[in-house]
Structures are given as C-alpha cells and as structure tokens.
Amino acid sequence: MGEIAERRQLPAVQRLMEAVQRQAPDLPRHWVHRGVAETLEAARRRLEAGGRLTEEALAAEAVGRARALDRPHLRPVINATGVLIHTNLGRSPLPADIMAHVAAVAAGYSTLEFDLEAGRRGSRHDHVAGLLAEVSGAEAALVVNNNAAAVLLALSTLAAGREVVVSRGQLVEIGGSFRVPEVMAQSGAILHEVGATNKTHLADYERGINERTALLLKVHTSNFRVLGFTAQVPTAQLVGLARRHGLPVMEDLGSGVLLPLTLDGYTEPQVQEVVAAGVDVVTFSGDKLLGGPQAGAVVGRRDLIAAMKRHPLARAVRVDKMTLAALELVLRRYVEGRAEELPLWQMLHADPEGLRRRARRLAARIRGVTGAAARVGVVPDQSQVGGGSMPATRLPTWVVTVEPLAASAEAWEAALRAGEPPVIARVQHGALRFDPRTLLPGQDRQLPAVLAAAWAPWLTPGMADGDEHKV
Ligand SMILES: *Cc1c(COP(=O)(O)O)cnc(C)c1O
C-alpha cells in the first residue's frame, strides 16, 4: 500500500475507475468517471496542501462520490423540523394514493385535453375548474403554474397600461423573488400606492381612483403581522367602493384556505368568504394551506376569468398534467368533505397529547440506537405552519432532543443530511430536535434505523438495543 506524496504518484483515471467498478459494479460508468475525476481533483489540492494519501483511500472516496452522483438530485427527505409548509422541502406533502393516480396519468396517455364523451379536443382546464368553482362558490376558475403566475396573469389581463390601487401596507414580498411592486411592473400595470404602512382608510382608496384606474387590489399580508396602531379596509367596504366606480376588485390571498382554520387564536381568511364578499378575482397557491401540489388558482367572475384564459401569458404559465392530476384529487377531497384526511391537515390538527406520546416512543427507540453516545430527552416545543403562512402562529408540540456526548450536534446534524434518506432536523442549544408533527406515517418507525446508519461512526457497537423500556 504505497503512500502518495506528490501528484505524479496519483493513479491514472482508468486505473482508479477499475478499482471503483470492482467495488461497485452496479454504478453507471458515467458517474464512476465523474466520481473519479472529482476525487483526483480533490486529491491534487490535498497534496498541494502537504497532505498524504493512499490508493485505497482514493478508491473508497471515489466510490462514495460516484454513489452520491448516482442518486437523483431531487429526492425525498424526512422533515423533522416541525415546519409544515417548508418551502425549501417542497411545501405540502401529498397523499400516496393521490400520487399513485398522478403516476398512472403521467406514465401513459391521458384525457388531458380530450373530451371522451364527444371524442374530440377538450380543455385541460375542465378537470379542476368545476371543482374549484364548487368549493369556492365562484362563477369560474382557472389554474396556472403557481400563485405568482396567477397574480401576473390577472394583472396583465385586467390592468396592463392602467393603474392599480394598492394599500402601502400590502406591498408584500414573498420569499425574495415575489414582490407586489415588481410583479405589477412586469405585468405592465401602474402601481398607485395609497395610505400609509400601518394604516389605510377607505378615503385613501377613494382618492386613489381616477380615470386611469383599472383595478383595486388587496394583498393578504400572509407572511408578516403589523401590530399596534394599524388599520386596513375590510374587504366588503372595498367591494362597495369599487362597485360605485364600476371597477373590479382583486385579492391575492396567498394561502388559499378552503376550510375554517383558527390556530393559536388567529383565523386565516377563507377563499369562500372572500368570494362571498364580492371580490371579483381571488388568487391563491395550491401548495400552501390548501395542501395540494404547486399551482396557482384564480377564481371569480366568469368574464374576467375568460379574458385571462385568452391572454397570451396564459400559455406561458399553464399547468402540466401531473399537477392537474394531483390537484383534481385534492379538490375532490374538499368537495367530498374529506379534506381533513390530507397530510397537511392531519399535521395542522395533530393534538399535543398524541404528539407527546409519539415523541416518547420515538425517544425510546432513538435511545436504543445512541446508547451512551448521546443524551436523549423529550421537551415541549412549538411547530410552525411555514411557507410564509400564519407567521406568528405557534403550534404546541413535543420534540425529541438528542445531545451528542461525542462530537458536536452540528456534526451529527450534517451526518443526517448526508444519510439516506436525508433527515432534516433543527439544532438548538447543542442538541438536535426532532418534531414528530412533520413525520409522515411510517417515518416514526423508520427514523431510528436511519439515524443509526448516519451516526454509526460515533456509536459503539453493543451500546445499542436493550434500552427500549427506559422512556
Ligand atoms: C405565497 C404567496 C404568493 C406566491 O405564491 P406561489 O404559489 O409561491 O407562487 C403570492 N402572494 C401571496 C400573498 C402569497 O402568500
């Protein structure tokens, strides 16, 4: 086993590839080649820094790199953060039976734009428009790629070249790239700000209306709260004002809640109420509190929705068959009165006592894995809705804490991200935290084995097991 001290002693690419293929014959050549190239590149840098290597270590590293490259880049993770609509982790999880239907639709041909009864061309909008109208109480509906696209399409159609009156307290930014003033500029509409950051009155809107006005826009301040001396105009009053001037009102609701939802003393506005208040166009996301796939819904007046469908942008932001297949079945759960079965709603309404029991059981299993290598406990904590929804809302929960006694919590957390499947957990005060609220069915049982594999370097064989009863 020769030690490698300088670059010219590094093995040739071909030779290292053969070594990798002997150890992992299942790996595609493409990834083996890339893994080897990356390994040699890293080795050169290490040698320049005065490091020493062996060919065996290089081969092992290349196998690891090739295996990592062989895995899909977009893949499932276990979300133990307790953030329900985690935008970085894909927002709402979808039920397995709905996804089986999506797979069937996507893997073959489908009725995407085919009318089976008439035997001729149909519209992709027909799969969900009726359901959306039914659940929301609106005349008509349209679904596009996401809510940002819905807002852009609506403003482009209804207000390009004309003015849109918006309260200064509602010039919202969502997740960096969606900002009301910028979307407005992109649509060709002219922003006419009224009122102040904390207070806007009906008279402000009234003064903002002129002969160039096309629309009154209300934006739900979904991801922040203004406290203290504040006032916004109730939707019904805004509708009244718009009617007197013969103007439409649009509301960007953000989350799109279709069931009554009060958490932690805060009630999220419901789509049905906004439609019933007379708002002409309401937009919302499919993958926030609705609990469905990424999509943007527009519901409202038939003539306005029809104009949006005809706008050239509609094609650019149109929704694909996988989304439609998932959204249709999610919306069916709502009209059937079964929306509470959606994973997101299960998580939202998980009761703290049940979460405490799950946390205790999970802690017992994790203790069985870590043995003396960590201190494992159960403490009260708070889950978050996430996705920029209900920002001040805290859901009481119980989490499992794991405080490593060897190495840092950060090192243990990094090992979890490198595991398979990766586990995303929070670190606080030197301990990892696992919130059972965002674990999906089956993951409470799966997690301990995943942790054991990821933390193997720190776990002493023989320490594991036998601790099950100590809760
Ligand atoms: C989330 C949100 C958006 C953007 O919706 P996406 O579905 O992420 O495109 C726009 N407006 C408001 C008020 C939101 O809360």
Side-chain angles (χ1 to χ4, degrees):
M1 186 173 84
E3 205 185 51
I4 300 168
E6 29 186 321
R7 290 169 71 134
R8 58 180 180 79
Q9 293 172 312
L10 285 171
V13 171
Q14 196 53 40
R15 183 182 154 102
L16 200 50
M17 281 185 71
E18 280 160 19
V20 172
Q21 280 171 320
R22 269 195 304 278
Q23 288 181 44
D26 53 309
L27 287 175
R29 245 186 100 75
H30 180 78
W31 303 123
V32 172
H33 184 263
R34 191 167 289 182
V36 163
E38 284 182 8
T39 302
L40 288 171
E41 179 61 36
R44 281 184 209 106
R45 281 198 301 273
R46 259 177 274 153
L47 289 176
E48 263 159 40
R52 293 278 183 283
L53 308 159
T54 66
E55 198 163 327
E56 286 74 13
L58 285 180
E61 182 181 334
V63 169
R65 285 182 186 268
R67 276 213 191 290
L69 288 162
D70 184 43
R71 281 195 291 257
H73 198 264
L74 174 56
R75 59 203 168 105
V77 301
I78 294 178
N79 174 12
T81 63
V83 180
L84 281 73
I85 308 173
H86 201 304
T87 296
N88 301 145
L89 304 182
R91 290 193 178 163
S92 296
L94 295 166
D97 53 341
I98 287 184
M99 289 323 292
H101 172 69
V102 175
V105 165
Y109 298 102
S110 66
T111 55
L112 182 62
E113 291 186 355
F114 190 75
D115 182 338
L116 280 178
E117 231 168 278
R120 58 166 184 264
R121 191 183 175 172
S123 164
R124 70 176 60 215
H125 300 301
D126 292 349
H127 308 295
V128 293
L131 291 164
L132 264 176
E134 187 179 343
V135 286
S136 67
E139 279 176 16
L142 172 65
V143 172
V144 294
N145 183 57
N146 57 13
N147 187 35
V151 173
L152 178 64
L153 176 62
L155 292 176
S156 303
T157 308
L158 305 177
R162 295 165 67 206
E163 289 186 6
V164 177
V165 184
V166 190
S167 158
R168 287 201 170 86
Q170 297 176 1
L171 299 176
V172 177
E173 169 178 308
I174 309 284
S177 50
F178 179 95
R179 288 172 147 189
V180 170
E182 287 165 21
V183 174
M184 187 84 68
Q186 196 62 44
S187 73
I190 300 150
L191 174 64
H192 189 127
E193 303 173 27
V194 297
T197 305
N198 58 330
K199 280 205 171 198
T200 302
H201 306 281
L202 193 63
D204 296 318
Y205 283 96
E206 184 123 47
R207 275 195 299 275
I209 295 174
N210 59 47
E211 67 287 352
R212 295 179 301 277
T213 306
L215 183 70
L216 306 189
L217 174 66
K218 188 167 178 185
V219 183
H220 181 42
T221 51
S222 51
N223 61 357
F224 68 97
R225 294 265 170 283
V226 184
L227 300 177
F229 191 59
T230 68
Q232 291 294 336
V233 175
T235 299
Q237 285 184 27
L238 203 58
V239 169
L241 176 69
R243 293 280 183 278
R244 287 198 292 283
H245 289 84
L247 291 168
V249 180
M250 166 170 157
E251 180 156 353
D252 174 17
L253 255 189
S255 247
V257 179
L258 294 168
L259 287 178
L261 181 64
T262 299
L263 296 170
D264 195 16
Y266 172 80
T267 303
E268 185 74 5
Q270 238 176 290
V271 176
Q272 296 93 317
E273 294 165 356
V274 176
V275 170
V279 173
D280 302 280
V281 173
V282 186
T283 66
F284 51 95
S285 287
D287 56 355
K288 290 186 181 170
L289 285 165
L290 195 142
Q294 180 190 307
V298 192
V299 304
R301 242 168 68 189
R302 186 172 287 112
D303 57 328
L304 303 181
I305 301 276
M308 285 178 220
K309 275 191 199 167
R310 288 192 303 268
H311 193 282
L313 251 187
R315 174 59 188 260
V317 297
R318 85 175 180 185
V319 64
D320 84 312
K321 61 186 175 186
M322 290 189 269
T323 301
L324 284 170
L327 187 61
E328 182 192 344
L329 293 207
V330 169
L331 292 172
R332 279 175 179 272
R333 299 269 153 106
Y334 279 94
V335 298
E336 291 160 6
R338 294 169 55 210
E340 306 272 0
E341 293 169 23
L342 292 169
L344 188 75
W345 286 87
Q346 297 269 315
M347 291 175 179
L348 277 173
H349 293 308
D351 85 289
E353 226 6 81
L355 289 165
R356 183 180 198 170
R357 278 194 300 276
R358 282 172 66 191
R360 283 182 169 167
R361 271 198 300 271
L362 189 58
R365 294 199 196 105
I366 293 176
R367 215 171 274 132
V369 163
T370 59
R375 241 194 305 274
V376 179
V378 171
V379 299
D381 200 343
Q382 294 170 328
S383 315
Q384 287 177 52
V385 177
S389 303
M390 309 179 88
T393 301
R394 294 288 175 268
L395 308 168
T397 190
W398 292 83
V399 297
V400 179
T401 57
V402 177
E403 185 190 341
L405 301 177
S408 66
E410 285 75 17
W412 281 41
E413 187 272 336
L416 290 185
R417 279 185 280 112
E420 185 52 41
V423 179
I424 314 301
R426 281 186 295 136
V427 174
Q428 201 176 315
H429 311 309
L432 292 103
R433 291 190 165 217
F434 299 88
D435 188 339
R437 189 190 291 270
T438 47
L439 297 180
L440 294 166
Q443 291 182 340
D444 291 42
R445 294 204 147 271
Q446 181 192 5
L447 192 59
V450 177
L451 302 187
W455 293 339
W458 296 292
L459 305 179
T460 329
M463 294 305 298
D465 303 312
D467 253 358
E468 285 285 311
H469 54 283
K470 283 191 226 153
V471 180

